[in-house]
Amino acid sequence: MVKNIMILRFTNQIFGSCWDRDHISNVQITFKEKIGTEGRGGYFDEFGIMRDVMQNHLFQILSLIAMESPASLNAEDIRNAKVDVLRQIPPVVESEVLLGQYGKSEDGSLPSYLDDETVPKGSKTATFAAAAFHIHNPRWEGVPFVLKCGKALDQQKVEIRIQFKDMGSNLFQKDVAARNELVIRVQPEEAVYLKMTQKLPGLGMETVMSELDLSYASRFTNLSVPDAYENLILDAIMGEQSNFVRSDELDEAWRIFTPVLHKIDRGQVPVEVYPYGSRGPKQLAEFVGRFGFERHLQAYSWPETSQAAVASASSASASADSKL
């Protein structure tokens, strides 16, 4: 799915023409794990979640989403384009970082990070991080990229959510016409879908949130989706370097993260405790809201197959897809 980002961007006019600050409000890149450190706390505690996941894995996704079209599919041209966009990102600032460490689950059945015997007593290492990044170029000026990653959360997923701006017309009220979102689900159950507002079948003008859906498991029933490491091992064997980090790309990534990482290491950035199995620190919704993300008030359940199911979802107070 990560390799598919370039195909989506550079072969489809519908996306290429709206991939900019005039149409996109914000970009959310999320990495969630349901498990905690599971006895690996001694290793993890030396690095923390930002070094473990965000600075490398999530930044690779960000660079593919944000880069300009490379001169060719040659590995060096692709890596040049990725480095160029990273050079336009200033270092992340402390005020735009949210850190958390998982505690016991709300029912007390699941352990806290500090319960891991391999973790040093009283450790303040973050197991959750959210941070906002800004790209200062004509395409992305003013569009925040919010990266979120954490352990011991409510679900297992890696997802890119591109939220488009509100419609300029006031023909329909804002609570009726939701923002469009392009969602690329990297794992599990790989999918690409576009959320949009539709008229609910019937005589009235009631609306419903629906999607244009490409779920790989149902669309490509006769093909298997290779594991990420299968792809990378094959690339290494074949000498394909475009998905591997070049030294100058690594330098740029560390330039962006190092100042705030030093503050984190010195304990200058607060770390909030969140329950094992939750969505993260309680401040998360407010945090992403600061950077333009809006959760539509209308309940949404993906996918819907009947009007009765839509009516049931509409009466619910929350929906599966509205989770960050």
Side-chain angles (χ1 to χ4, degrees), residues 13-33:
Q13 177 67 16
I14 188 173
F15 296 132
S17 60
C18 64
W19 211 265
D20 57 35
R21 63 191 296 266
D22 295 328
H23 299 88
I24 293 174
S25 168
N26 60 87
V27 178
Q28 311 272 321
I29 303 174
T30 303
F31 179 103
K32 286 186 171 187
E33 288 186 298

Side-chain angles (χ1 to χ4, degrees), residues 121-136:
K121 291 184 178 180
S123 171
K124 297 296 184 182
T125 296
T127 60
F128 175 94
F133 300 86
H134 307 275
I135 303 172
H136 295 308

Side-chain angles (χ1 to χ4, degrees), residues 61 68 73 155 268 270 295 304:
I61 294 176
E68 298 298 320
L73 292 177
Q155 59 184 148
Q268 295 175 310
R295 184 186 294 113
E304 293 295 352

Side-chain angles (χ1 to χ4, degrees), residues 227-248:
D227 180 83
Y229 285 109
E230 291 181 66
N231 268 304
L232 290 177
I233 291 171
L234 179 61
D235 284 347
I237 293 172
M238 300 297 293
E240 168 56 53
Q241 299 181 14
S242 60
N243 292 298
F244 295 88
V245 179
R246 201 169 63 187
S247 59
D248 54 346

